[in-house]
Each structure stands twice: as structure tokens, then as C-alpha cells.
Amino acid sequence: MSLSPAGPAIETLGLHKRYGQVQALHGIDLSVRRGEMFALLGPNGAGKTTLFSILSTLLKPSAGTAQVLGFDVVRQRAEIRQRMGIVFQEPALEQKLSVRDNLRLMGLFYGLSFRAARERSEILLDKLGLKDVAKRETQKLSGGQKRRLELGRSMVAQPEILFLDEATLGLDVDARRNFWAEVRDFVHAGGTVFMTTHYMEEAEVADRIALIDGGQIIALDTPKQLQSLVGGGVILLATEDDVRAAAWLREQGYTPEASERGLLLVNNDPATVLPALLGAMPVKTLRAEVHEPSLEDVFLKLTGRGLDTRFGQPPQDLHGDPQ
Amino acid sequence: MKGMLAVIVLDLKRLWADRIRLISSLIQPLLYLFVLGSGLGASSVLGGRGYLHYIFPGVIGLSLLFSSVFAAMLIVFDRQIGFLKAVLVAPVSRTAIAFGKVLSGALQASIPALILLLLMPVLGLHISLLRLLALLGTMALAAITFSALGVATAARFRSTIVFPIISNAVLLPMFFLSGALFPLANAPHWLRLLAHLDPVAYAVDLMRGAMLGKTFFPPLLSLAVLVGFIIVLTWLATRVFASGEDT
């Protein structure tokens, strides 16, 4: 396999995607550096899976251009596929085959000889700590082991770039930690990672994060720089009547956001504002906290909405087979 | 070529891992052969031989038809569980995937059919080596035709519930119209007319010709029809795979 051309790992210009009447992406301009761990964060229906699918050659854009490792995602799909690994949100393993066979067979699909596929799968089994379960049927693995095997499958052809779509969804903390340790090893070895995630703490380990909403990138920076957009901090108020408290806060010119724990207020000077609020609130306050801004708060400040799934459902049936 | 080989190796490994599928695929042909064959055979003689001997090529055809189409059902299943995506994003051409699927389906279907062939001495069916080789050749052609039919159809389906219903609704009439269980020469005109449109009829007729030396259709016509079906159906399957989701 020849080396990919120099330049950014990913570059898009005016990328649009339309599904019938639904405009999923509105002119995305994006550049991801080589060796970077890049996260795409946004609520369901924001367009992140569509963007992910276009970049990983699964979908064609309606307009605009996108290059991955210097290759066009429409005209040079084979070149990109030869150099990329992908972990889907849903399992993409043959459950009745052994762990070892899953890796070996995927090696054949990536053009390795039987011998090379066998050797590569042994290296990956060792590296991913799956040697002991190599003969086990895949369906008998734990969730964490399956995800590690998915990662192994994606790395079988020694890719230059990894695409991870909500790759650790449903995993416990330990399994997630192990998974990301492997991904970090890949990045340290010079690989590029482009991922989508719902987990704030996972996005925060990325070198840069793009926040996407309504098919547009609304912010793109390092986690620290994004958090500094909020300034000040975030006030959490739990009251006896959050609905009434929220109405009163709006009257005072604030934009409270309901969360599971109470009302969230992004403010530049929470230390000054909080005592005054507590004194004037028309309902009893049960708990009040001030915390450092999170990416959720950044999103809240930029859009007036939270990042969680209450705000939208993914478009149905938009992602069938790869093209 | 490597991609096609990868598809075939994958599917054969899966068949080996799921041997119960292989065993269960023998049940239906054995029922036809021993229950129907023995039951009707007790009161009828066709083509100068026992009915059981007469329907043997038809039962081989039945086995090849159902096994190859059900092997193709794996495509629908893989699509539903997401495994197909992993295959389709690999750097393998869609043509190689379609060809690989057709050939692997034919290979998978050939295994139970070959097991049935082993019953020939038990049934008192003895044929020359030349006839056996001809039979194996026609079986291969039939298996590829039926597999191409299965792949071309399965590539369009997304539901593992709907596909078997539809395929059964099509396969059974194809089988019954093929003359697998009765001689087409004595069948009513309308049935013979329909049999001319049925690839299973040509395949069974060729196999019967190879075994018993008597055909309803001219053998060259049957060969041409089956090759034609293979070309058209494989082309259709390739088109579906190549079109991807952006259609």
C-alpha cells in the first residue's frame, strides 16, 4: 500500500447532505490534522452521523467536497478504505465465529494473504488482551471484549485513520477506559482518530472538538478553549418548583435550562449572582451549586439547548448499507 | 480475486460453525425422496424406472434451490445486524462481493446435494462414471443459477422476516412447475408453458438427462438458459451491491 498524500487527514469544503426535504448538513468546512484525535459532539439529529458516514465513505454528499488522507470520498473510496479502520455503533462481528477467525477473515477482506492475516491477528490478539479468549465464540464475549475485538477488526490492516461512531456506547467504565487506552496508543503511534460520542468525558480527551447542531459546526476548538467560551461558571439550582422558578428566572432575563438535577444557568459571574438570586427566588431553593463549565454548558450557551437526546431524534432509516 | 475468496472463506467458515443449518437442509429433500417417493412410487412407474428413481434428480434440484437461496438469506441477516457494513467498507469491489456471494451460495448448496448423491447406491441407482461426471457438472450449473437468483433477490431485502416468506412463495411454485415430481411431457399445455419460464425446470431436466439419459428440453437450450440466467442475475446482484445506500 502506497503512502497517502501529505496534507490534512480530513478536509471538507461546503459539505451539504440532503435526504429528500431534510437538509442534514449545511455547508460543513472542516480540517483535521494528521495524528490528531478529533471528536464530533452534538445531540441526536444534529448531523454528526451523516458527517461521519460521508467521511468514512459510507454516504455520498449532496454538494461540496471532502477529502480523507488526501483522497476524495466519492471518487477515491477504495484508496480511503484501504487506509481506514472503522468501528460502528452497532456490532459488526460474526457472532458464531471465534475471536481469532473474525480477525483473520477481516484480514483477508483487507487484501492480506492467509499467512499475513494469521500473523496480524495474533499480534492484535496479544495487544488487545484477547489471547485467552481467541478460540471463544464471539457471541460469548463480554461487552468490553467485543468492543476491543471491534477495534482489532478495524486495525487489522494497520490503518492511518480510525473512524469511531459512538464506539463505547453501553460499556461500563472499565471497559471504556481499556478501549480508549488502545485508541490513545494508536494516536501515539501517529494515527488519526475521528470520533463521534455522547460522553462528555470522552470528547474531552480529544485534541479538538467540533460541536455540531442543525447540520452546522457551531464551534471548533480544544476542550479548554471551548470551555472558556462560557466564561464564569454554571449555577445549578434545585428548587421546590422548578417550573415556577424557571419562569421567574426568565422574567429576570436569565435563560435557565432544565436538567435531571435541576435548573442550569450559565453566568459570567456566578459568585456574585448566586447570593442575589437565592435572596429573591419566589420558591424555596433546595440545593445550589456552582461548577466549572462543561462541554454541555458550552453547547447550552451557544444554542440555548442541552446536548442530551431529549432535543431531537435521529432521522429514521437514513443509514442503510454503505455505498 | 482476493475479495471474492474472502467472501467464500467467510461463508464456508460460518456454515461449518452452524452445522445444524446443513443438517436441517437435508430434512426436506429426504422427506420428498423417501416419503413422497416411496408412497407414490408404490403405485406408479415412470420412464421405465421406479418413481423414486425418477424424482431423484428433482430432489437434488430441490435441495440445491432451497439451500442456495437460504444461504443468500445470510445477506439479509448480515444487513440487519450490521455485519454487512463491515464487509462493504472493506477495500473489496462490489463486483467481487456479488460474485463471491454467488459462488459461496453455490458451494454451500452443493454440500447437502452431494450428501444426497451418496444415497444413490442405497436407492439402487447405479450410473456410469461418465453420467456421474455429467450430473456433477449440471449440478454445479444449477447451484450457481439458484445462488445467483438468491443473491440478486436477497441483496434487495432488509427484513429477515419478509425475505423467507417471499422466497418460499416463489420457490415452491418454481419447484412444482419444474417437472421435478412428474414428467412435463404428459403435463397440461398451460403447465408446460409455465415450465418454459422456470429456470428450475431446465436445471432439473439437465440433471435428469445426465442421470437417466432422457430430457424434455433440448440440452443445449437448457445450458443456454441457465448460463443466461446466471449472467443476468449476477449482473443484477452486482448492480444492487454497487448502488449502495444512496439510491
Side-chain angles (χ1 to χ4, degrees):
Chain A
M1 181 173 67
S2 61
L3 282 174
S4 54
I10 294 174
E11 190 155 47
T12 73
L13 270 177
L15 207 60
H16 287 262
K17 180 66 186 177
R18 175 180 281 279
Y19 300 106
Q21 296 300 307
V22 180
Q23 186 76 41
L25 295 180
H26 296 267
I28 301 277
D29 296 327
L30 189 69
S31 184
V32 177
R33 294 186 285 267
R34 287 185 189 239
E36 190 174 24
M37 195 159 167
F38 190 94
L40 189 63
L41 194 61
N44 284 339
K48 60 181 189 304
T49 305
T50 300
L51 179 55
F52 179 92
S53 301
I54 290 173
L55 295 177
S56 55
T57 75
L58 307 177
L59 261 184
K60 286 179 188 166
S62 306
T65 62
Q67 291 198 328
V68 174
L69 303 170
F71 299 106
D72 187 272
V73 294
V74 178
R75 288 180 287 109
Q76 295 170 297
R77 291 201 309 250
E79 284 82 354
I80 296 171
R81 287 175 178 171
Q82 194 74 50
R83 294 165 175 83
M84 77 173 192
I86 187 163
V87 177
F88 299 105
Q89 194 173 323
E90 64 273 16
L93 299 165
E94 171 47 65
Q95 302 291 327
K96 291 203 170 172
L97 290 185
S98 71
V99 171
R100 180 174 272 129
D101 277 346
N102 261 295
L103 289 176
R104 284 184 183 178
L105 285 164
M106 210 34 79
L108 298 183
F109 275 99
Y110 278 80
L112 302 183
S113 65
F114 280 94
R115 187 178 172 180
R118 197 165 54 234
E119 286 170 1
R120 180 70 184 145
S121 62
E122 292 309 311
I123 291 169
L124 285 168
L125 287 170
D126 216 21
K127 183 174 162 47
L128 296 169
L130 294 170
K131 200 104 186 171
D132 292 342
V133 292
K135 287 182 183 171
R136 195 174 294 174
E137 259 183 47
T138 300
Q139 62 188 349
K140 291 178 181 160
L141 298 182
S142 69
Q145 287 170 326
K146 279 184 187 171
R147 284 280 100 179
R148 267 186 285 153
L149 179 56
E150 293 271 9
L151 190 61
R153 178 186 58 71
S154 74
M155 288 181 172
V156 83
Q158 296 176 288
E160 292 176 48
I161 186 165
L162 266 187
F163 287 97
L164 311 174
D165 187 16
E166 306 278 2
T168 59
L169 204 67
L171 288 190
D172 61 37
V173 178
D174 276 349
R176 261 192 281 160
R177 194 178 298 130
N178 289 337
F179 183 90
W180 289 111
E182 296 300 336
V183 173
R184 270 192 293 274
D185 280 354
F186 173 77
V187 175
H188 290 151
T192 306
V193 171
F194 183 92
M195 63 173 177
T196 68
T197 178
H198 269 101
Y199 296 115
M200 301 299 138
E201 67 271 26
E202 281 182 2
E204 283 168 9
V205 302
D207 298 315
R208 287 193 303 155
I209 300 166
L211 294 180
I212 185 167
D213 188 44
Q216 290 174 305
I217 304 285
I218 55 169
L220 194 167
D221 219 321
T222 62
K224 283 272 175 246
Q225 285 298 317
L226 284 175
Q227 282 158 346
S228 73
L229 286 177
V230 174
V234 179
I235 300 168
L236 171 76
L237 291 171
T239 70
E240 276 188 336
D241 186 348
D242 281 356
V243 175
R244 202 171 140 215
W248 180 81
L249 284 164
R250 280 190 207 98
E251 283 170 18
Q252 309 307 308
Y254 295 101
T255 49
E257 165 72 15
S259 76
E260 281 176 11
R261 296 166 62 212
L263 299 171
L264 293 169
L265 287 177
V266 176
N267 193 272
N268 287 331
D269 190 8
T272 309
V273 168
L274 183 59
L277 276 182
L278 291 176
M281 287 276 277
V283 293
K284 190 177 172 188
T285 305
L286 304 174
R287 196 172 74 248
E289 292 171 12
V290 174
H291 62 81
E292 291 281 308
S294 66
L295 290 170
E296 172 101 31
D297 302 322
V298 176
F299 194 84
L300 176 65
K301 176 172 172 127
L302 292 172
T303 66
R305 293 182 289 110
L307 260 174
D308 68 31
T309 52
R310 287 172 299 150
F311 297 98
Q313 294 300 315
Q316 295 300 300
D317 218 18
L318 297 182
H319 308 291
D321 298 334
Q323 56 177 333
Chain B
M1 190 67 189
K2 270 187 177 175
M4 200 163 78
L5 187 67
V7 173
I8 294 170
V9 174
L10 169 70
D11 283 349
L12 292 180
K13 279 252 181 197
R14 299 166 99 184
L15 180 67
W16 183 246
D18 193 12
R19 288 185 286 278
I20 192 81
R21 178 155 61 96
L22 185 62
I23 295 163
S24 60
S25 69
L26 285 166
I27 294 172
Q28 194 184 20
L30 288 176
L31 275 174
Y32 271 92
L33 199 58
F34 287 106
V35 179
L36 191 77
S38 303
L40 281 179
S43 54
S44 64
V45 175
L46 287 163
R49 294 168 190 266
Y51 183 66
L52 205 139
H53 289 191
Y54 179 81
I55 65 165
F56 189 77
V59 172
I60 296 281
L62 171 87
S63 173
L64 289 172
L65 178 66
F66 279 81
S67 298
S68 54
V69 173
F70 279 93
M73 200 170 77
L74 269 183
I75 297 170
V76 189
F77 181 70
D78 286 347
R79 173 178 283 125
Q80 206 167 48
I81 64 165
F83 182 67
L84 190 66
K85 266 189 178 179
V87 171
L88 294 182
V89 296
V92 175
S93 79
R94 299 303 162 87
T95 310
I97 292 175
F99 274 72
K101 281 287 174 193
V102 170
L103 287 179
S104 86
L107 280 172
Q108 291 176 72
S110 298
I111 297 169
L114 288 172
I115 294 172
L116 288 173
L117 277 194
L118 297 176
L119 294 175
M120 283 170 63
V122 180
L123 299 171
L125 242 168
H126 303 286
I127 58 173
S128 67
L129 182 65
L130 204 64
R131 284 200 181 281
L132 182 66
L133 290 175
L135 176 63
L136 289 172
T138 53
M139 278 171 64
L141 195 62
I144 295 171
T145 310
F146 301 155
S147 180
L149 175 71
V151 174
T153 314
R156 292 166 192 277
F157 277 83
R158 290 180 183 277
S159 164
T160 47
I161 298 169
V162 178
F163 178 70
I165 296 170
I166 301 273
S167 58
N168 263 326
V170 175
L171 297 187
L172 277 175
M174 282 174 85
F175 173 67
F176 285 124
L177 287 172
S178 71
L181 303 176
F182 52 83
L184 285 172
N186 304 335
H189 180 67
W190 64 268
L191 209 151
R192 269 184 287 160
L193 209 64
L194 286 173
H196 276 81
L197 305 172
D198 182 3
V200 185
Y202 296 96
V204 168
D205 195 53
L206 266 186
M207 287 189 278
R208 187 168 285 138
M211 277 185 78
L212 309 176
K214 205 173 173 188
T215 60
F216 174 72
F217 301 110
L220 276 179
L221 173 70
S222 296
L223 279 172
V225 168
L226 293 183
V227 170
F229 265 103
I230 290 170
I231 292 169
V232 172
L233 291 168
T234 308
W235 174 74
L236 282 174
T238 309
R239 264 193 58 182
V240 178
F241 278 119
S243 65
E245 75 177 341
D246 244 11
T247 51

